[in-house]
Amino acid sequence: MRYGSVTAVEQVSFNAHAGRVTVILGPNGAGKTSTIEACEGFRSVTAGSVRVLGLDPQRDRKQLNKRIGVMLQDGGIYPTARVGEVVAHYCSLYGKGVVATEVIKTVGLDHRTKSTWKKLSGGEQQRLSLALALTARPEVAFLDEPTSGVDVNGRDMIRAVIKDLASTGCAVVLATHELDEAERCADDVVIFHQAKIVANGSLESIRSQSYEIRFRSGIAFDVAALAKYLDFPIQNLGEEYVIMGTADAAVIGKFSEWMSFHGADIRDLRAGAQRLEDIFRRLTTGGVQ
């Protein structure tokens, strides 16, 4: 996708599967929003193809709109529209047999049915946008920042709704900047950076490729010498050190012996797969956190 001389998305390819939550991540300007809007039919691609449920989002837009649910990050609802009325209106438009009062209760807005959009809090507005996406009884749901501005209890509710959606066979495509939220919800992860995809796969497979050993020490030691001895790179993060690329027990044993021989203590030793947040930062900044 190009806007004049700017390439917003460059030859990306990924699948989102039925019954799974695919989380789209990326820094601002990485191309994820343009890609999702192309899938929703809001933007045209410069080259290549997009298929949602086997349909072209541009050519087959009327057919596709009946089968997908879209939650925008903000806007799309008249400020003076009342919660109960707008949800009932969407239910009638889709004609899928969804009961407005049940959807409103699902997103925790049953006490706000007579309130207008503009009188809702930011988190309540997000819940209403989610409710409107649910009225389609979607086979594919595109959710943009569904927990933005939502309190802790609201987040728990939205996560439960997302899990329920996936359990019905819906393919949930979720864009978010909140990496902790992504790790809680994701089955599959697609990470964008500078108009390209830099990671694409199940959350488990992406994390399993990024093992590490983290530790602290109260005694100064030769980091370069230890890295050479272990044959693994070591990142100095100030108060914490990270041995990259391994969590192997044999390596931990060698590491412990070397530190003991050189009179350096080991504190807060942790070994395992990296957090999604650490992987995201490494792939999108070139650094290790």
Side-chain angles (χ1 to χ4, degrees), residues 235-241:
Q235 182 77 19
N236 185 344
L237 302 179
E239 295 183 355
E240 191 172 41
Y241 300 88

Side-chain angles (χ1 to χ4, degrees), residues 13-17 22 188 190 200:
S13 180
F14 70 95
N15 296 320
H17 300 283
T22 301
D188 302 306
V190 181
N200 180 11

Side-chain angles (χ1 to χ4, degrees), residues 68-72 90 94 103 127-138 140-143 165:
I68 67 173
V70 175
M71 177 185 177
L72 301 176
Y90 269 64
Y94 282 109
V103 176
R127 296 192 206 183
L128 178 55
S129 294
L130 176 58
L132 298 182
L134 298 178
T135 60
R137 208 184 292 275
V140 178
F142 296 100
L143 310 180
L165 260 180

Side-chain angles (χ1 to χ4, degrees), residues 212 214 237 242 274-275 278 281-282 285 287-289:
E212 65 180 14
R214 285 181 175 252
L237 302 179
V242 182
Q274 280 190 332
R275 299 173 301 169
D278 298 322
R281 288 180 176 174
R282 173 169 54 81
T285 67
V288 179
Q289 299 293 329

Side-chain angles (χ1 to χ4, degrees), residues 1-113:
M1 297 180 68
R2 296 187 181 89
Y3 306 114
S5 61
V6 177
T7 300
V9 181
E10 185 174 1
Q11 298 185 13
V12 305
S13 180
F14 70 95
N15 296 320
H17 300 283
R20 295 179 69 83
V21 179
T22 301
V23 173
I24 310 295
L25 299 171
N28 291 331
K32 63 184 186 300
T33 298
S34 293
T35 300
I36 291 174
E37 289 181 347
C39 294
E40 294 167 338
F42 295 149
R43 293 188 185 274
S44 300
V45 300
T46 306
S49 63
V50 180
R51 294 293 181 271
V52 180
L53 298 170
L55 301 173
D56 184 313
Q58 289 288 318
R59 189 181 64 241
D60 306 314
R61 189 166 183 175
K62 287 186 177 180
Q63 288 177 263
L64 188 60
N65 282 351
K66 299 174 183 178
R67 302 173 64 186
I68 67 173
V70 175
M71 177 185 177
L72 301 176
Q73 185 175 353
D74 60 290
I77 301 173
Y78 289 114
T80 56
R82 298 184 186 278
V83 171
E85 294 171 350
V86 73
V87 174
H89 179 57
Y90 269 64
C91 287
S92 65
L93 287 175
Y94 282 109
K96 297 287 186 69
V98 177
V99 179
T101 53
E102 293 180 0
V103 176
I104 293 170
K105 185 176 181 180
T106 296
V107 300
L109 289 178
D110 42 318
H111 65 297
R112 301 285 270 160
T113 55

Side-chain angles (χ1 to χ4, degrees), residues 227-248:
K228 184 177 180 180
Y229 175 72
L230 296 177
D231 197 25
F232 284 100
I234 300 177
Q235 182 77 19
N236 185 344
L237 302 179
E239 295 183 355
E240 191 172 41
Y241 300 88
V242 182
I243 303 173
M244 300 300 303
T246 182
D248 187 85

